Every structure is written in C-alpha cells, then in structure tokens.
Amino acid sequence: MTVHLTRGTQPRPGHRRVTALLGRHPVGLALMAPYAAYLLLVFAYPFGFAVWMSFHDYFFAAPGAQVERPFVGLENYRTVLGDPGVRQAFGNILVFLLINVPLTAALALTLAVALNQAIRGRTFLRVAYYVPYVTASVAVVGVWLFLFSSDGLVNTLLGPLAPDPSWLVNETLAMPLIAVFVAWKQLGFFILLYLAALQNVPKELYESAAVDGAGAWQRFRSVTVPAVRPATTLVVIVATVTGANLFTEPYLLTGGGGPNGASTSPVLLMYQRGLEQGAPDVAAAIGVLLVVGVVALSMINRRLLERS
Amino acid sequence: MSTRTLGAPETAPAVEPVARRRTGTLGRVLRAAALTAFALAFLFPFYYMFIGSLQAEPDTSPAGAFPTGGLTLGNYREINAEIHLLRSLVNSGIFTGGVILGTVVFGLLAGYALAQLSFRGRGALFNLVLLVQVVPFQLLLIPLYVLIVRGYGLADSYLGMILPFLINTTAVFVFRQFFLQLPPDLFAAARVDGASELRILWSVALPLVRPALLTVVLLTFIGPWNEFLWPFLITKQTDMQPLAVSLANYLSNVAARAANPYGAVLAGACVLAAPAVALFVAFQKHFTSTNIGSGVKG
C-alpha cells in the first residue's frame, strides 16, 4: 500500500506541467465549475448590476428595444434620501433590529443553556423550539393575524387591557410586535448555533468556578457568556442580516406596511418602488444603502462584542 | 468527530457532576418548568392553527381554543375551491425538488472538491463561497428580477423559480465538513487503482456521507418550500404559484369575501406547514447542532 501510494503521488513526466499549472487534481476545477458558475451568475453579476443600476437612469423597456440608460451620478440616491417614506422605512427597520436582535440573542442563549443541561424530554423540547423555524412565514402569519386581530384571542384575554387601536393597526405597536414575532419564528435556528458553541466550552472552567463557590448565575455570567462570545457575534450578525431582509411579515400582517407606513420595511419599499411603480434604479439605490447600513451595523456589533 | 458519533454531543450531559450537584433539586424543577412553559408558548400557535382550521365559526374566546364538538373539514373545502390546493402543492413540490436536486448534485461535487482535491484556485473559490454568504439577497432582488424575468423571459416558469436557489451554500459547507473528516488515503488508494474521480465520488465517498445527505435534504427543503418573496415576484399565473404564494395572495386579496376567512386561511396554513413539520419531526435527529452548526460556521 505504502509503495503504491508513493508511486501514485509522484507525477509522471507528461503530467508534471499540468500539475504545476492546475494543481495535483485538475479535475477538481471541473467538479467546482457548476457551483462557481452559479455563484458568478446568481450572486457576483447581479451584485455588480445592482450597484451599476443605482448610478444610472434605469427603467423597464419593451423586450428587445434598444434604449439609452445614461449615467446620472448620485441622482437616484438623492431621490431616495429625499423621500420621507424611505427615511421612515429605515427608521422602522432600526426599531425592529433594536428589539429583535437583543431579544433573539438573549432568549436563544438562555434556552440553549437550559436545553443543554436538561436530560428528560430533550427531544420534545428541541422539536418545540425548532418547529416555528421550519414552518413557512406565510403559514404562521395566518395564525398570528387570527390571534392578534382586534377581536382575537389575545385581546379577549386582555379584556380592558387590550391596546386601542389594536396591535396590528396601532402605529406604535405594529413594528415592535413584528420584531417579537420574527424573534419567535427564528429562535430555533439561533438555539442550534448556541448549542454547537456550548459543546466546545471546556468543562474544567465550570469545575473551577464551582470550586470557587460560584452559583449558577455567576457561572453563567463568568463562564458561559464569555466562552460563547464568538457564537454571539455570529448570532447578532446573522439576526441583523435576516432582520434587514424583512418583507413577508409587514406585507401580510399589516397589509403592506401599515398603519400609515409605520411597519414598512426597506425591502417592502424596494418591491413597491421598483416593481409596482417601475423605478428599479431607485429600488437598487435603496438596496445599496440597506446593505451599506447592514455592513456598518455588523462591524459595529463585532467591535462591541469582541471587546473583552 | 467522525460520522458515527454525529449527534452524540447532544445526548451527553455538558455540565460535570460537581456543578450539577450545586444546582440543587429546586433549581432543576424551576428550569424544567421554565423550559416546558416556553415549549408550550412555541407550540400553542400551531395547536391554535389546527383547531381554528376545523371550526366552522371563528371562536376567539378562551373556551374556543378547546372546543368540545362541532369540528368540520369545511374550511379545507373552502380553501381548496379558492386556490386549488393540489396544483399549488405540486408547484411547491417541483420548485423544492429542483432546488434539492441541484443542491445535492452540484453541492456534493463542490463539497468533495473543496475538501479532498487540491487544484489551482481552490483557496480563491473557497473565499468566494464565504463572501457569497455575506451578500444579502435583498440587494440582488431587483437585478435578479430584471435578468431572469426581463432578460431570460423566465417569468411563470419553474426554472425561473429554481435558478436563484439552485445550490444551497450552507449545504456545500455541510458536505465539505463531512468530506474533511474522511482520511485522504482512502481516496488516494482508489486513485492508484485507476478509478476516475467521479467513480470515487460515487462508490467510495457517497456511501460514507449518507448522514450528510439527509441533513442536506432537510436543510434545503425548508428554503424553497417556505420561500415567499421570490416566487411571488416572478409568478403572475395562479396555476404556476407555489402554495406559499397562492395562500398569501388569498390572505391579502380574497379572504375578506369568504364566510369564515380565518378558518380558510388556517386550513391553508396547516396544509402548507404540515410537510415541513412532518419531515422535521420524523428526521429531527439529523437536524442537530453538530450537523448544521459546523456547516454554518464554515
């Protein structure tokens, strides 16, 4: 076997040049080709196209028609920033993220720690926490509409304490409610991430903390939280990116971002401006601004979280 | 971590005995109570969805959540008359099946190449894969719409629906992670015997990563099956719409006209949720942190 292997790894003279040029297994390039083509076609090219579009006067023309699409500099960005609807949508998504992201990270970590220690009923608990994550948003939106309608179960239970106007038609409450709803929906996935991180926490740390007389809460604060910090960074960034993608919930729960645009999200606005009102260049500019915002937020979060 | 010990860390207690003894009985009872309370809060909307789909009249009183009789399948008939459930389910199935097929075939090839083969540009390609995970889909929405609908004329087609999701990047990571755990000697020996890479992949590698295959299918399934925004943008013909889209359109346009709109919507929601939930419950062992966490972290 060893002899064979040595002979096998020594390139024959004719192959030496190919090896130098393409590596030991040039066939790898062929195996990667479909995926690489997919990445270029569906991600890299549209990405460049979006940025290009946001600097040009782009509009939908009849198929096959040759039309001029002049460079307009920052014109589209001026339109976007001067639009109060856009500013409101970005404000809304900020409110959403401020509620959704900390809530998600805190609940996911707490439940993951508890789940990690629970012995009985672990399968049942895991299934319960993950089920909302594997279910379609459109399906769970149906039951949330039913629960939170003005004469729904939640208001019936609250009786005189029910908010007026009701949850989804209340300008102050609509967006926070959507933030809580999305946290509930996505929590299972983030619990999964934390569970993976918890497997790697050295047990000796808990041992020495226990020897030092640390209680459960102190062990959680001084051992668990610092040990899973890299996972927290990941959770916060993924939750921010997912949250910035918000579309289905405001589109369906609040009838397209209502009341009075109080729950409009930037992606919903991209759909309305770009496809309903036929201004894809403006929509592309909203997209670029949104991505710049998300990247900036992620970098700030990372800085804050990795500072020990 | 070998393929045989997958999921094992989840069943092994993570806290050693000293710490556990200190938690005490009261603490454990409290923790169990809190965990169960949360679990019920997570499950209640699903229970309510199901019960609501069986009630002829919406009953929003607390007692209405626990009806003693009068359950009916009328809501399912109602929603079926409005959106043709079977047709929508078939569309969802083709959309999802196409994505799973593309992900398994091309993702397997890519995962194997990234983990076990050395070729020029592998590092650069892997960096590209990492980069793609950071590009948010919302930025690509408009250009993809322009390209696929206006450029290639793929509106109202399965191909147009599938294309942006054809290969699930998380699945590529999961495959790569599994292949990294296999000893390279295994493949070197097969190569010496003169087997081609495709043959090695098919008869040596594939049987060894069967657990990964199931994880990938589960993981990939929930993407397109639950996806709303993209198929919503590109399908205008109702007979091409996946169930998530036709149900959402019913919800936002038609529901107001129905006798019991909530009942019909909840019936549709149950039909949409059932396959994903059933698959997940049946195979939940494969949906563990070890399987997927490693993939997500790269």
Side-chain angles (χ1 to χ4, degrees):
Chain A
M1 178 90 144
T2 329
V3 183
H4 279 282
L5 273 179
T6 330
R7 204 154 33 118
T9 46
Q10 257 169 12
R12 279 160 282 168
H15 281 189
R16 204 167 285 153
R17 194 175 298 166
V18 179
T19 304
L21 195 67
L22 298 174
R24 263 193 307 135
H25 309 119
V27 69
L29 281 168
L31 299 188
M32 274 303 281
Y35 185 53
Y38 163 80
L39 292 182
L40 290 175
L41 222 83
V42 172
F43 288 92
Y45 179 67
F47 182 82
F49 190 19
V51 176
W52 182 89
M53 206 188 268
S54 73
F55 289 105
H56 289 77
D57 181 12
Y58 196 97
F59 49 90
F60 294 129
Q66 287 294 318
V67 287
E68 194 120 327
R69 293 184 162 123
F71 177 77
V72 293
L74 293 172
E75 173 80 39
N76 291 323
Y77 290 93
R78 265 194 291 275
T79 311
V80 165
L81 291 173
D83 183 340
V86 173
R87 287 204 298 268
Q88 188 186 22
F90 275 92
N92 289 342
I93 204 72
L94 208 62
V95 169
F96 173 92
L97 292 174
L98 281 174
I99 298 171
N100 175 270
V101 176
L103 187 68
T104 301
L107 275 181
L109 178 58
T110 313
L111 288 174
V113 168
L115 197 58
N116 201 35
Q117 294 169 3
I119 299 164
R120 241 167 281 165
R122 185 196 290 262
T123 306
F124 165 73
L125 294 171
R126 271 190 22 185
V127 168
Y129 297 152
Y130 296 170
V131 154
Y133 174 66
V134 300
T135 309
S137 294
V138 174
V140 282
V141 156
V143 76
W144 273 67
L145 271 174
F146 190 32
L147 278 167
F148 283 86
S149 64
S150 45
D151 52 359
L153 179 66
V154 172
N155 280 355
T156 318
L157 283 174
L158 287 174
L161 293 173
D164 179 37
S166 181
W167 303 94
L168 295 168
V169 289
N170 186 313
E171 283 190 36
T172 330
L173 291 175
M175 206 59 184
L177 186 67
I178 291 176
V180 172
F181 169 72
V182 172
W184 172 84
K185 168 89 176 67
Q186 302 286 354
L187 208 57
F189 176 71
F190 296 108
I191 291 176
L192 199 73
L193 290 185
Y194 270 127
L195 277 175
L198 286 172
Q199 313 300 333
N200 301 326
V201 181
K203 284 168 192 165
E204 296 76 37
L205 288 179
Y206 288 107
E207 245 165 80
S208 50
V211 169
D212 290 348
W217 169 245
Q218 276 169 311
R219 283 201 304 272
F220 177 75
R221 262 195 52 191
S222 57
V223 179
T224 311
V225 172
V228 298
R229 190 161 281 157
T232 303
T233 309
L234 184 72
V235 165
V236 166
I237 289 176
V238 174
T240 307
V241 173
T242 321
N245 253 312
L246 188 71
F247 173 84
T248 310
E249 288 77 9
Y251 179 77
L252 291 173
L253 266 179
T254 53
N260 288 326
S263 64
T264 311
S265 71
V267 178
L268 182 60
L269 213 61
M270 279 172 74
Y271 162 71
Q272 290 168 342
R273 295 282 190 276
L275 303 180
E276 282 188 338
Q277 299 165 17
D281 46 0
V282 171
I286 298 177
V288 171
L289 286 178
L290 182 59
V291 169
V292 168
V294 169
V295 170
L297 263 183
S298 301
M299 269 157 50
I300 295 170
N301 278 330
R302 205 173 159 173
R303 271 282 166 78
L304 290 177
L305 287 165
E306 283 177 357
R307 201 180 51 191
S308 45
Chain B
M1 185 168 62
S2 81
T3 48
R4 276 188 312 166
T5 58
L6 270 172
E10 293 243 331
T11 47
V15 177
E16 46 66 65
V18 181
R20 170 150 304 131
R21 225 176 297 134
R22 289 185 154 265
T23 315
T25 318
L26 182 68
R28 244 178 300 161
V29 169
L30 278 177
R31 192 175 59 216
L35 277 171
T36 313
F38 259 100
L40 293 179
F42 272 71
L43 289 177
F44 178 74
F46 289 89
Y47 165 77
Y48 204 54
M49 185 193 286
F50 183 63
I51 283 297
S53 78
L54 295 173
Q55 285 171 315
E57 291 289 327
D59 182 353
T60 57
S61 70
F66 307 98
T68 45
L71 299 183
T72 161
L73 287 175
N75 293 320
Y76 288 86
R77 273 192 293 277
E78 166 86 29
I79 191 78
N80 190 37
E82 291 288 346
I83 64 176
H84 203 324
L85 283 179
L86 191 64
R87 177 80 217 176
S88 301
L89 278 172
V90 168
N91 290 338
S92 286
I94 294 174
F95 176 28
T96 309
V99 173
I100 289 177
L101 191 68
T103 297
V104 167
V105 173
F106 299 126
L108 196 66
L109 294 180
Y112 174 67
L114 284 173
Q116 289 286 353
L117 301 175
S118 82
F119 51 91
R120 182 168 288 253
R122 183 175 77 165
L125 275 170
F126 188 63
N127 285 334
L128 181 68
V129 177
L130 288 176
L131 209 67
V132 159
Q133 292 205 302
V134 193
V135 178
F137 189 69
Q138 66 265 39
L139 179 64
L140 307 178
L141 203 65
I142 299 293
L144 276 176
Y145 179 84
V146 170
L147 286 173
I148 290 180
V149 173
R150 303 251 155 188
Y152 309 142
L154 290 176
D156 290 310
S157 76
Y158 294 120
L159 192 60
M161 256 181 256
I162 293 169
L163 211 53
F165 300 93
L166 184 65
I167 308 172
N168 183 321
T169 293
T170 309
V172 173
F173 276 103
V174 172
F175 277 135
R176 175 178 169 270
Q177 206 62 33
F178 267 77
F179 280 124
L180 279 176
Q181 294 158 17
L182 301 177
D185 290 356
L186 203 69
F187 302 104
R191 266 175 222 130
V192 169
D193 291 343
S196 72
E197 286 302 328
L198 276 181
R199 165 127 202 110
I200 294 174
L201 188 61
W202 182 255
S203 42
V204 180
L206 198 57
L208 290 171
V209 294
R210 210 166 280 154
L213 217 55
L214 205 52
T215 304
V216 161
V217 169
L218 278 178
L219 189 77
T220 311
F221 178 89
I222 55 177
W225 186 268
N226 296 343
E227 176 66 23
F228 167 64
L229 179 52
W230 179 251
F232 164 72
L233 289 186
I234 76 157
T235 54
K236 292 291 165 253
Q237 294 170 18
T238 47
D239 63 346
M240 282 302 292
Q241 287 168 345
L243 185 53
V245 177
S246 41
L247 183 62
N249 283 343
Y250 175 78
L251 189 64
S252 54
N253 302 328
V254 199
R257 295 204 309 260
N260 177 6
Y262 285 123
V265 166
L266 293 179
C270 284
V271 176
L272 177 59
V277 172
L279 262 183
F280 167 69
V281 170
F283 296 106
Q284 55 88 22
K285 261 197 217 123
H286 295 266
F287 204 82
T288 62
S289 52
T290 20
N291 286 8
I292 292 159
S294 59
V296 175
K297 281 183 293 178

